[in-house]
Amino acid sequence: MSITLNSPLDMHLHLRDEEMLSVVGPLSSESFSGAIIMPNLVPPVSTKEGLLSYKERILKACKNDTFTPYMTLFFKPTYTKAFLASVKDELTAIKLYPAGITTNSEGGVSGFDVDELRPTLDAMSELEIPLCVHGETNGFVMDREAEFVSIYEMLATNFPKLKIIMEHITTKESVAALEKFDNLYATITLHHLFITLDDVAGGMLQPHLFCKPIAKRPEDRDALRKVALEGHPKVMFGSDSAPHPQHAKESCGCAAGVFTAPIALQVLTEFFVKYSTVEKLQDFVSNNARNIYSNIEIPNKTITLEEKEFTVPQKYADVVPMYAGEKLKYSITEIN
Ligand code: NCD
Ligand code: ZN
Protein backbone atom coordinates (compact mmCIF):
# COMPACT_ATOMS: atom_id res chain seq x y z
CA MET A 1 0.00 0.00 0.00
CA SER A 2 1.34 3.42 -0.93
CA ILE A 3 0.38 6.71 0.71
CA THR A 4 1.02 10.21 -0.57
CA LEU A 5 1.23 13.29 1.62
CA ASN A 6 1.31 16.80 0.25
CA SER A 7 3.59 19.36 1.87
CA PRO A 8 3.76 18.01 5.42
CA LEU A 9 4.45 20.62 8.10
CA ASP A 10 5.90 20.34 11.57
CA MET A 11 4.39 23.20 13.56
CA HIS A 12 6.70 22.88 16.61
CA LEU A 13 10.34 21.95 16.08
CA HIS A 14 13.65 22.42 17.89
CA LEU A 15 16.59 22.58 15.49
CA ARG A 16 19.20 23.91 17.96
CA ASP A 17 22.38 25.42 16.50
CA GLU A 18 25.91 24.68 15.26
CA GLU A 19 26.86 20.97 15.13
CA MET A 20 23.48 19.76 16.39
CA LEU A 21 21.70 21.86 13.76
CA SER A 22 23.82 20.32 11.02
CA VAL A 23 22.75 16.83 12.21
CA VAL A 24 19.04 17.39 12.83
CA GLY A 25 18.23 20.13 10.29
CA PRO A 26 18.39 17.85 7.22
CA LEU A 27 16.35 15.15 9.01
CA SER A 28 13.39 17.54 8.99
CA SER A 29 14.05 19.50 5.82
CA GLU A 30 14.20 16.38 3.70
CA SER A 31 10.67 15.19 4.39
CA PHE A 32 8.81 18.30 5.62
CA SER A 33 7.90 21.37 3.58
CA GLY A 34 8.31 23.66 6.53
CA ALA A 35 8.41 23.90 10.30
CA ILE A 36 7.84 26.38 13.07
CA ILE A 37 11.29 26.82 14.58
CA MET A 38 11.38 27.27 18.34
CA PRO A 39 13.54 30.12 19.65
CA ASN A 40 14.87 28.59 22.90
CA LEU A 41 18.54 28.83 22.03
CA VAL A 42 21.12 30.10 24.53
CA PRO A 43 20.65 33.07 24.46
CA PRO A 44 17.07 32.96 23.09
CA VAL A 45 16.19 34.43 19.70
CA SER A 46 14.82 37.84 20.66
CA THR A 47 16.16 40.37 18.13
CA LYS A 48 15.61 40.85 14.42
CA GLU A 49 19.32 40.32 13.73
CA GLY A 50 19.35 37.16 15.84
CA LEU A 51 16.31 35.81 14.04
CA LEU A 52 17.65 36.55 10.57
CA SER A 53 21.06 35.05 11.23
CA TYR A 54 19.51 31.93 12.80
CA LYS A 55 17.33 31.53 9.71
CA GLU A 56 20.45 31.78 7.52
CA ARG A 57 22.19 29.09 9.57
CA ILE A 58 19.14 26.82 9.28
CA LEU A 59 18.90 27.26 5.52
CA LYS A 60 22.62 26.52 5.20
CA ALA A 61 22.27 23.34 7.30
CA CYS A 62 19.29 22.21 5.22
CA LYS A 63 21.31 22.62 2.02
CA ASN A 64 19.18 22.44 -1.10
CA ASP A 65 16.07 20.94 0.43
CA THR A 66 12.72 22.53 -0.34
CA PHE A 67 11.97 23.64 3.19
CA THR A 68 10.81 26.85 4.84
CA PRO A 69 11.83 27.55 8.42
CA TYR A 70 8.98 29.56 9.94
CA MET A 71 10.83 31.70 12.43
CA THR A 72 9.71 32.69 15.92
CA LEU A 73 10.88 35.11 18.57
CA PHE A 74 11.10 34.34 22.28
CA PHE A 75 8.25 36.34 23.87
CA LYS A 76 9.16 39.34 26.00
CA PRO A 77 6.57 41.71 27.47
CA THR A 78 8.90 44.57 26.53
CA TYR A 79 8.47 44.14 22.75
CA THR A 80 6.96 47.38 21.42
CA LYS A 81 4.56 47.73 18.52
CA ALA A 82 7.24 49.57 16.53
CA PHE A 83 9.69 46.71 17.04
CA LEU A 84 7.09 44.07 16.14
CA ALA A 85 6.06 45.98 13.03
CA SER A 86 9.71 46.11 11.94
CA VAL A 87 10.17 42.35 12.32
CA LYS A 88 6.69 41.15 11.30
CA ASP A 89 7.64 40.15 7.76
CA GLU A 90 10.46 37.96 9.01
CA LEU A 91 8.58 35.92 11.57
CA THR A 92 5.58 33.62 11.72
CA ALA A 93 4.81 33.61 15.45
CA ILE A 94 6.09 34.49 18.90
CA LYS A 95 6.65 31.79 21.52
CA LEU A 96 5.80 32.42 25.14
CA TYR A 97 7.50 30.33 27.83
CA PRO A 98 6.72 30.54 31.53
CA ALA A 99 10.04 31.31 33.25
CA GLY A 100 12.14 28.21 33.93
CA ILE A 101 9.46 25.70 32.93
CA THR A 102 11.49 23.80 30.32
CA THR A 103 14.81 23.67 28.45
CA ASN A 104 16.36 27.17 28.09
CA SER A 105 13.30 29.10 29.25
CA GLU A 106 14.86 31.05 32.13
CA GLY A 107 14.09 34.41 30.49
CA GLY A 108 10.37 33.63 30.16
CA VAL A 109 7.28 35.18 31.73
CA SER A 110 6.49 34.97 35.43
CA GLY A 111 3.24 36.00 37.06
CA PHE A 112 1.06 36.35 33.95
CA ASP A 113 -0.13 39.81 34.87
CA VAL A 114 -2.52 40.85 32.11
CA ASP A 115 -1.60 44.53 32.37
CA GLU A 116 2.07 43.74 31.99
CA LEU A 117 1.43 41.56 28.94
CA ARG A 118 -1.20 43.80 27.34
CA PRO A 119 0.93 46.22 25.26
CA THR A 120 2.81 43.42 23.48
CA LEU A 121 -0.25 41.18 23.07
CA ASP A 122 -2.38 44.08 21.78
CA ALA A 123 0.32 44.88 19.25
CA MET A 124 0.52 41.23 18.20
CA SER A 125 -3.27 41.15 17.78
CA GLU A 126 -3.21 44.25 15.59
CA LEU A 127 -0.29 42.99 13.52
CA GLU A 128 -1.87 39.51 13.31
CA ILE A 129 1.13 37.71 14.79
CA PRO A 130 0.08 34.38 16.37
CA LEU A 131 1.14 33.57 19.95
CA CYS A 132 2.49 30.08 20.65
CA VAL A 133 2.39 29.13 24.32
CA HIS A 134 4.11 26.53 26.45
CA GLY A 135 1.17 26.08 28.82
CA GLU A 136 2.39 24.84 32.17
CA THR A 137 2.29 26.37 35.65
CA ASN A 138 4.98 25.57 38.21
CA GLY A 139 2.58 23.39 40.21
CA PHE A 140 2.69 19.61 40.69
CA VAL A 141 4.14 18.14 37.51
CA MET A 142 1.06 16.08 36.51
CA ASP A 143 -1.27 19.07 37.07
CA ARG A 144 0.74 21.85 35.45
CA GLU A 145 -1.03 21.84 32.10
CA ALA A 146 -4.56 21.50 33.50
CA GLU A 147 -3.81 24.39 35.89
CA PHE A 148 -2.65 26.52 32.98
CA VAL A 149 -6.08 26.33 31.30
CA SER A 150 -7.23 29.30 33.41
CA ILE A 151 -4.34 31.32 31.96
CA TYR A 152 -5.34 30.28 28.44
CA GLU A 153 -8.86 31.48 29.26
CA MET A 154 -7.50 34.80 30.51
CA LEU A 155 -5.46 35.24 27.33
CA ALA A 156 -8.25 34.10 25.00
CA THR A 157 -10.85 36.43 26.51
CA ASN A 158 -8.64 39.49 26.95
CA PHE A 159 -7.17 39.20 23.45
CA PRO A 160 -10.00 37.85 21.30
CA LYS A 161 -8.28 38.78 18.02
CA LEU A 162 -5.04 37.03 18.95
CA LYS A 163 -4.53 33.52 17.57
CA ILE A 164 -3.26 31.49 20.50
CA ILE A 165 -1.69 28.10 19.92
CA MET A 166 -1.58 25.79 22.93
CA GLU A 167 1.65 23.98 22.16
CA HIS A 168 2.14 20.25 22.63
CA ILE A 169 -1.08 19.63 24.55
CA THR A 170 -1.14 16.51 26.70
CA THR A 171 -4.44 16.62 28.63
CA LYS A 172 -8.17 16.22 28.15
CA GLU A 173 -8.58 19.64 29.81
CA SER A 174 -6.65 21.31 27.00
CA VAL A 175 -8.72 19.46 24.41
CA ALA A 176 -11.87 20.77 26.12
CA ALA A 177 -10.49 24.33 26.14
CA LEU A 178 -10.14 24.15 22.34
CA GLU A 179 -13.90 23.91 22.04
CA LYS A 180 -14.57 26.79 24.41
CA PHE A 181 -12.66 29.62 22.75
CA ASP A 182 -12.66 30.47 19.06
CA ASN A 183 -9.13 31.82 19.18
CA LEU A 184 -7.48 28.80 20.82
CA TYR A 185 -5.72 26.22 18.65
CA ALA A 186 -3.32 23.39 19.49
CA THR A 187 -0.37 21.33 18.37
CA ILE A 188 -0.02 17.67 19.28
CA THR A 189 3.29 15.80 19.25
CA LEU A 190 4.00 12.32 17.97
CA HIS A 191 5.07 10.92 21.33
CA HIS A 192 2.04 12.16 23.26
CA LEU A 193 -0.20 10.18 20.88
CA PHE A 194 1.60 7.02 21.93
CA ILE A 195 3.01 7.17 25.43
CA THR A 196 1.66 7.74 28.93
CA LEU A 197 3.57 8.28 32.16
CA ASP A 198 3.70 4.51 32.48
CA ASP A 199 5.97 4.30 29.45
CA VAL A 200 8.31 6.89 30.97
CA ALA A 201 8.48 5.78 34.58
CA GLY A 202 6.20 2.76 35.09
CA GLY A 203 9.02 0.27 34.63
CA MET A 204 12.69 1.02 34.25
CA LEU A 205 13.12 4.75 33.74
CA GLN A 206 13.16 5.69 30.04
CA PRO A 207 15.13 8.92 29.71
CA HIS A 208 14.56 9.15 25.95
CA LEU A 209 10.81 9.49 26.62
CA PHE A 210 11.23 12.17 29.29
CA CYS A 211 9.93 15.51 28.09
CA LYS A 212 7.96 18.58 29.06
CA PRO A 213 5.05 18.46 29.39
CA ILE A 214 5.43 15.00 30.92
CA ALA A 215 3.25 12.30 29.31
CA LYS A 216 -0.02 11.92 31.24
CA ARG A 217 -2.79 9.36 31.75
CA PRO A 218 -4.38 6.94 29.24
CA GLU A 219 -7.58 9.02 29.16
CA ASP A 220 -5.55 12.11 28.27
CA ARG A 221 -3.82 10.26 25.46
CA ASP A 222 -7.21 9.05 24.23
CA ALA A 223 -8.52 12.62 24.10
CA LEU A 224 -5.49 13.66 22.01
CA ARG A 225 -5.87 10.64 19.72
CA LYS A 226 -9.51 11.45 19.11
CA VAL A 227 -8.97 15.01 17.88
CA ALA A 228 -5.87 14.07 15.87
CA LEU A 229 -7.54 11.11 14.14
CA GLU A 230 -10.65 13.06 13.27
CA GLY A 231 -8.48 15.76 11.69
CA HIS A 232 -10.00 18.35 14.04
CA PRO A 233 -9.56 21.69 12.22
CA LYS A 234 -8.06 23.45 15.27
CA VAL A 235 -5.36 20.83 15.78
CA MET A 236 -2.01 20.60 14.00
CA PHE A 237 0.94 18.25 14.09
CA GLY A 238 3.89 19.75 15.94
CA SER A 239 6.51 17.14 16.74
CA ASP A 240 8.29 19.06 19.51
CA SER A 241 11.22 16.98 18.33
CA ALA A 242 13.81 18.14 20.84
CA PRO A 243 17.25 16.60 20.38
CA HIS A 244 19.76 16.42 23.22
CA PRO A 245 23.14 14.65 23.07
CA GLN A 246 23.07 11.12 24.49
CA HIS A 247 25.10 12.07 27.57
CA ALA A 248 22.57 14.77 28.49
CA LYS A 249 19.71 12.23 28.37
CA GLU A 250 21.43 9.21 29.93
CA SER A 251 22.64 11.08 32.97
CA CYS A 252 21.86 12.07 36.50
CA GLY A 253 19.68 15.09 35.71
CA CYS A 254 18.17 14.04 32.37
CA ALA A 255 17.37 16.84 29.89
CA ALA A 256 13.73 17.05 28.76
CA GLY A 257 12.92 16.33 25.11
CA VAL A 258 12.08 13.44 22.77
CA PHE A 259 13.76 13.24 19.37
CA THR A 260 11.20 12.16 16.76
CA ALA A 261 11.80 14.16 13.57
CA PRO A 262 13.17 11.27 11.44
CA ILE A 263 10.40 8.82 12.37
CA ALA A 264 7.36 11.08 12.58
CA LEU A 265 5.75 10.63 9.17
CA GLN A 266 6.32 6.87 9.14
CA VAL A 267 4.73 6.40 12.56
CA LEU A 268 1.84 8.77 11.86
CA THR A 269 1.09 6.98 8.60
CA GLU A 270 0.82 3.61 10.29
CA PHE A 271 -1.40 5.11 13.00
CA PHE A 272 -3.81 6.88 10.64
CA VAL A 273 -4.02 3.95 8.22
CA LYS A 274 -4.99 1.75 11.15
CA TYR A 275 -7.45 4.04 12.95
CA SER A 276 -8.54 6.76 10.51
CA THR A 277 -7.90 7.79 6.92
CA VAL A 278 -5.08 9.27 4.87
CA GLU A 279 -7.30 12.34 4.25
CA LYS A 280 -7.42 13.03 7.99
CA LEU A 281 -3.65 12.60 8.20
CA GLN A 282 -3.29 15.16 5.42
CA ASP A 283 -5.43 17.54 7.49
CA PHE A 284 -3.41 16.87 10.64
CA VAL A 285 0.05 17.25 9.05
CA SER A 286 -0.63 20.07 6.64
CA ASN A 287 -4.08 21.43 5.76
CA ASN A 288 -5.09 22.53 9.24
CA ALA A 289 -1.84 24.43 9.74
CA ARG A 290 -2.32 26.09 6.36
CA ASN A 291 -5.72 27.34 7.50
CA ILE A 292 -4.73 28.34 11.03
CA TYR A 293 -1.48 30.09 10.10
CA SER A 294 -2.96 32.09 7.28
CA ASN A 295 0.35 34.02 7.09
CA ILE A 296 2.55 31.18 5.78
CA GLU A 297 3.64 30.21 2.30
CA ILE A 298 4.13 26.50 1.88
CA PRO A 299 6.49 25.00 -0.68
CA ASN A 300 5.13 22.07 -2.67
CA LYS A 301 6.52 18.70 -1.76
CA THR A 302 5.12 15.21 -2.22
CA ILE A 303 6.09 12.42 0.16
CA THR A 304 5.35 8.83 -0.70
CA LEU A 305 5.33 6.21 2.02
CA GLU A 306 5.03 2.49 1.45
CA GLU A 307 4.39 -0.51 3.62
CA LYS A 308 8.04 -1.48 3.84
CA GLU A 309 9.93 -2.18 7.04
CA PHE A 310 12.12 0.62 8.40
CA THR A 311 14.50 -0.12 11.26
CA VAL A 312 15.00 3.03 13.28
CA PRO A 313 18.73 3.76 13.68
CA GLN A 314 20.15 3.47 17.21
CA LYS A 315 21.48 6.99 16.87
CA TYR A 316 21.70 9.94 14.54
CA ALA A 317 25.21 11.19 15.32
CA ASP A 318 25.01 11.56 19.11
CA VAL A 319 21.20 11.71 19.41
CA VAL A 320 19.02 8.71 20.26
CA PRO A 321 15.62 8.82 18.52
CA MET A 322 12.33 7.53 19.88
CA TYR A 323 11.88 3.85 18.94
CA ALA A 324 15.66 3.42 18.43
CA GLY A 325 16.39 -0.03 17.03
CA GLU A 326 12.71 -0.87 16.55
CA LYS A 327 11.03 -1.79 13.29
CA LEU A 328 8.41 0.52 11.81
CA LYS A 329 5.86 -0.63 9.28
CA TYR A 330 6.16 2.26 6.80
CA SER A 331 9.15 3.79 5.00
CA ILE A 332 9.47 6.98 3.02
CA THR A 333 10.18 5.79 -0.50
CA GLU A 334 9.94 8.93 -2.60
CA ILE A 335 10.22 12.68 -2.11
CA ASN A 336 9.38 15.09 -4.91
C1 NCD B 1 12.10 21.16 24.69
C2 NCD B 1 13.59 21.40 24.42
O1 NCD B 1 14.39 20.51 24.71
O2 NCD B 1 13.93 22.45 23.88
N1 NCD B 1 11.94 20.09 25.63
C3 NCD B 1 10.85 19.32 25.82
O3 NCD B 1 10.86 18.50 26.72
N2 NCD B 1 9.79 19.43 25.05
C4 NCD B 1 11.47 22.43 25.15
C5 NCD B 1 9.96 22.42 25.17
O4 NCD B 1 9.31 22.47 24.13
O5 NCD B 1 9.40 22.34 26.26
ZN1 ZN C 1 9.17 22.38 22.27
Coordinates of all heavy atoms in Angstrom, one line a residue, residues 283-322:
D283 N -5.0 16.4 6.7 CA -5.4 17.5 7.5 C -4.5 17.8 8.7 O -4.1 18.9 8.9 CB -6.9 17.3 8.0 CG -7.9 17.3 6.9 OD1 -7.6 17.8 5.8 OD2 -9.0 16.8 7.1
F284 N -4.2 16.7 9.4 CA -3.4 16.9 10.6 C -2.0 17.4 10.4 O -1.5 18.2 11.1 CB -3.4 15.5 11.4 CG -2.7 15.5 12.7 CD1 -3.0 16.4 13.7 CD2 -1.6 14.6 12.9 CE1 -2.4 16.3 15.0 CE2 -0.9 14.6 14.1 CZ -1.3 15.4 15.2
V285 N -1.4 16.9 9.3 CA 0.0 17.2 9.1 C 0.2 18.4 8.1 O 1.4 18.8 7.8 CB 1.0 16.1 8.6 CG1 1.1 15.0 9.6 CG2 0.5 15.6 7.2
S286 N -0.9 19.0 7.6 CA -0.6 20.1 6.6 C -1.8 21.0 6.5 O -1.7 22.2 6.8 CB -0.3 19.5 5.3 OG 0.1 20.5 4.4
N287 N -3.0 20.5 6.1 CA -4.1 21.4 5.8 C -4.5 22.3 6.9 O -4.8 23.5 6.7 CB -5.3 20.6 5.2 CG -4.9 19.8 4.0 OD1 -3.9 19.9 3.5 ND2 -5.9 19.0 3.6
N288 N -4.6 21.7 8.1 CA -5.1 22.5 9.2 C -4.1 23.7 9.5 O -4.6 24.8 9.8 CB -5.3 21.6 10.5 CG -6.4 20.6 10.3 OD1 -7.2 20.8 9.4 ND2 -6.4 19.6 11.2
A289 N -2.8 23.4 9.5 CA -1.8 24.4 9.7 C -1.9 25.5 8.7 O -1.8 26.7 9.0 CB -0.4 23.8 9.7
R290 N -2.2 25.1 7.5 CA -2.3 26.1 6.4 C -3.5 27.0 6.6 O -3.4 28.2 6.4 CB -2.6 25.3 5.1 CG -2.6 26.1 3.8 CD -3.0 25.3 2.6 NE -2.1 24.2 2.2 CZ -1.1 24.4 1.3 NH1 -1.0 25.5 0.7 NH2 -0.3 23.4 1.0
N291 N -4.6 26.5 7.2 CA -5.7 27.3 7.5 C -5.5 28.2 8.8 O -5.9 29.3 8.8 CB -7.0 26.5 7.7 CG -7.3 25.8 6.4 OD1 -7.1 26.3 5.3 ND2 -7.9 24.6 6.5
I292 N -4.9 27.6 9.8 CA -4.7 28.3 11.0 C -3.7 29.5 10.9 O -3.9 30.6 11.3 CB -4.4 27.4 12.2 CG1 -5.5 26.4 12.4 CG2 -4.0 28.1 13.4 CD1 -5.2 25.2 13.3
Y293 N -2.5 29.1 10.3 CA -1.5 30.1 10.1 C -1.7 30.7 8.7 O -1.0 30.4 7.8 CB -0.1 29.4 10.1 CG 0.5 29.2 11.5 CD1 0.2 28.0 12.2 CD2 1.2 30.2 12.2 CE1 0.8 27.8 13.5 CE2 1.8 30.0 13.4 CZ 1.5 28.8 14.1 OH 2.1 28.6 15.3
S294 N -2.7 31.6 8.6 CA -3.0 32.1 7.3 C -1.8 32.9 6.7 O -1.8 33.3 5.5 CB -4.2 32.9 7.3 OG -4.3 33.6 8.5
N295 N -0.8 33.2 7.6 CA 0.3 34.0 7.1 C 1.5 33.2 6.5 O 2.6 33.8 6.3 CB 0.8 34.9 8.2 CG 1.3 34.2 9.5 OD1 1.0 33.0 9.6 ND2 2.0 34.8 10.4
I296 N 1.4 31.9 6.3 CA 2.6 31.2 5.8 C 2.4 30.8 4.3 O 1.3 30.5 3.8 CB 2.8 29.9 6.6 CG1 1.6 29.0 6.7 CG2 3.3 30.3 8.0 CD1 1.9 27.6 7.3
E297 N 3.6 30.8 3.7 CA 3.6 30.2 2.3 C 4.3 28.8 2.4 O 5.3 28.7 3.1 CB 4.5 31.1 1.4 CG 3.6 32.3 0.9 CD 4.4 33.2 0.0 OE1 5.4 32.8 -0.6 OE2 4.1 34.4 0.1
I298 N 3.7 27.9 1.7 CA 4.1 26.5 1.9 C 4.7 26.0 0.6 O 3.9 25.8 -0.4 CB 2.9 25.6 2.4 CG1 2.3 26.2 3.6 CG2 3.4 24.2 2.6 CD1 1.0 25.6 4.0
P299 N 6.0 25.6 0.6 CA 6.5 25.0 -0.7 C 5.9 23.6 -1.0 O 5.5 22.9 -0.1 CB 8.0 24.8 -0.4 CG 8.2 25.3 1.0 CD 6.9 25.7 1.6
N300 N 5.7 23.4 -2.3 CA 5.1 22.1 -2.7 C 6.1 21.0 -2.5 O 7.3 21.1 -2.9 CB 4.7 22.1 -4.2 CG 3.4 22.9 -4.3 OD1 2.6 22.9 -3.4 ND2 3.3 23.6 -5.4
K301 N 5.7 19.9 -1.9 CA 6.5 18.7 -1.8 C 5.6 17.5 -1.7 O 4.6 17.6 -1.0 CB 7.4 18.8 -0.5 CG 8.5 17.8 -0.3 CD 9.2 18.0 1.0 CE 10.5 18.9 0.8 NZ 11.3 18.9 1.9
T302 N 5.9 16.4 -2.3 CA 5.1 15.2 -2.2 C 5.9 14.1 -1.6 O 7.0 13.8 -2.1 CB 4.7 14.8 -3.6 OG1 4.2 15.9 -4.3 CG2 3.6 13.7 -3.6
I303 N 5.4 13.5 -0.6 CA 6.1 12.4 0.2 C 5.3 11.1 -0.1 O 4.1 11.1 0.2 CB 6.1 12.7 1.7 CG1 6.6 14.1 2.0 CG2 6.9 11.6 2.5 CD1 8.0 14.3 1.7
T304 N 6.0 10.1 -0.5 CA 5.3 8.8 -0.7 C 5.9 7.9 0.4 O 7.1 7.8 0.6 CB 5.6 8.3 -2.1 OG1 5.2 9.2 -3.1 CG2 4.8 7.0 -2.3
L305 N 4.9 7.2 1.0 CA 5.3 6.2 2.0 C 4.8 4.9 1.6 O 3.6 4.8 1.1 CB 4.8 6.6 3.4 CG 5.4 7.8 4.0 CD1 4.3 9.0 4.0 CD2 5.9 7.6 5.4
E306 N 5.5 3.8 1.8 CA 5.0 2.5 1.5 C 5.2 1.5 2.6 O 6.0 1.7 3.5 CB 5.8 2.0 0.3 CG 5.3 2.6 -1.0 CD 6.1 2.2 -2.2 OE1 6.3 1.0 -2.5 OE2 6.6 3.1 -2.9
E307 N 4.3 0.5 2.6 CA 4.4 -0.5 3.6 C 5.7 -1.3 3.4 O 5.7 -2.3 2.7 CB 3.1 -1.4 3.5 CG 2.7 -1.9 4.9 CD 1.4 -2.7 4.8 OE1 0.5 -2.2 4.1 OE2 1.4 -3.7 5.4
K308 N 6.7 -0.9 4.0 CA 8.0 -1.5 3.8 C 8.8 -1.2 5.1 O 8.9 -0.1 5.6 CB 8.7 -0.7 2.7 CG 10.0 -1.3 2.2 CD 10.4 -0.5 0.9 CE 11.9 -0.7 0.8 NZ 12.5 0.5 0.1
E309 N 9.3 -2.3 5.7 CA 9.9 -2.2 7.0 C 11.1 -1.1 7.1 O 11.9 -1.1 6.2 CB 10.5 -3.6 7.4 CG 10.7 -3.7 8.9 CD 11.0 -5.2 9.2 OE1 12.2 -5.6 9.2 OE2 10.0 -6.0 9.4
F310 N 11.1 -0.4 8.2 CA 12.1 0.6 8.4 C 12.6 0.4 9.8 O 11.9 0.5 10.8 CB 11.6 2.0 8.2 CG 12.5 3.1 8.7 CD1 13.8 3.3 8.2 CD2 12.0 4.1 9.6 CE1 14.6 4.3 8.6 CE2 12.9 5.1 10.1 CZ 14.2 5.2 9.6
T311 N 13.9 0.0 9.9 CA 14.5 -0.1 11.3 C 15.1 1.2 11.7 O 15.9 1.8 11.0 CB 15.6 -1.2 11.2 OG1 15.0 -2.4 10.7 CG2 16.1 -1.5 12.6
V312 N 14.6 1.7 12.8 CA 15.0 3.0 13.3 C 16.5 2.9 13.7 O 16.8 2.0 14.5 CB 14.1 3.5 14.5 CG1 14.6 4.9 14.9 CG2 12.6 3.5 14.0
P313 N 17.3 3.8 13.2 CA 18.7 3.8 13.7 C 18.9 3.9 15.2 O 18.0 4.6 15.8 CB 19.4 5.0 13.0 CG 18.5 5.2 11.8 CD 17.1 4.8 12.2
Q314 N 19.9 3.3 15.8 CA 20.1 3.5 17.2 C 20.5 4.9 17.5 O 20.1 5.4 18.6 CB 21.3 2.6 17.6 CG 21.1 1.1 17.6 CD 20.1 0.6 18.7 OE1 19.7 1.4 19.5 NE2 19.6 -0.6 18.6
K315 N 21.1 5.6 16.6 CA 21.5 7.0 16.9 C 21.6 7.7 15.6 O 21.9 7.2 14.5 CB 22.9 7.0 17.5 CG 23.0 6.7 18.9 CD 24.2 7.3 19.5 CE 25.1 6.3 20.2 NZ 26.3 6.9 20.7
Y316 N 21.3 9.0 15.6 CA 21.7 9.9 14.5 C 22.8 10.8 15.1 O 22.6 11.6 16.0 CB 20.5 10.8 14.1 CG 19.4 10.0 13.4 CD1 18.4 9.4 14.2 CD2 19.4 9.9 12.0 CE1 17.4 8.6 13.5 CE2 18.4 9.2 11.4 CZ 17.4 8.6 12.1 OH 16.4 7.9 11.5
A317 N 24.0 10.6 14.7 CA 25.2 11.2 15.3 C 25.1 10.8 16.8 O 25.1 9.6 17.1 CB 25.3 12.7 15.1
D318 N 25.0 11.8 17.7 CA 25.0 11.6 19.1 C 23.6 11.7 19.7 O 23.5 11.9 20.9 CB 25.9 12.6 19.8 CG 26.3 12.2 21.2 OD1 26.2 11.0 21.5 OD2 26.6 13.1 22.0
V319 N 22.6 11.5 18.9 CA 21.2 11.7 19.4 C 20.4 10.4 19.2 O 20.4 9.8 18.1 CB 20.5 12.8 18.7 CG1 19.2 13.1 19.4 CG2 21.3 14.1 18.6
V320 N 19.8 10.0 20.3 CA 19.0 8.7 20.3 C 17.6 9.1 19.9 O 16.9 9.8 20.7 CB 19.1 8.0 21.6 CG1 18.3 6.7 21.6 CG2 20.6 7.7 22.0
P321 N 17.0 8.5 18.9 CA 15.6 8.8 18.5 C 14.6 8.0 19.3 O 15.0 6.9 19.8 CB 15.5 8.5 17.0 CG 16.5 7.3 16.9 CD 17.6 7.6 17.9
M322 N 13.4 8.4 19.4 CA 12.3 7.5 19.9 C 12.3 6.3 19.0 O 12.5 6.3 17.8 CB 11.0 8.3 19.8 CG 9.8 7.6 20.4 SD 8.3 8.6 20.3 CE 7.1 7.5 21.0

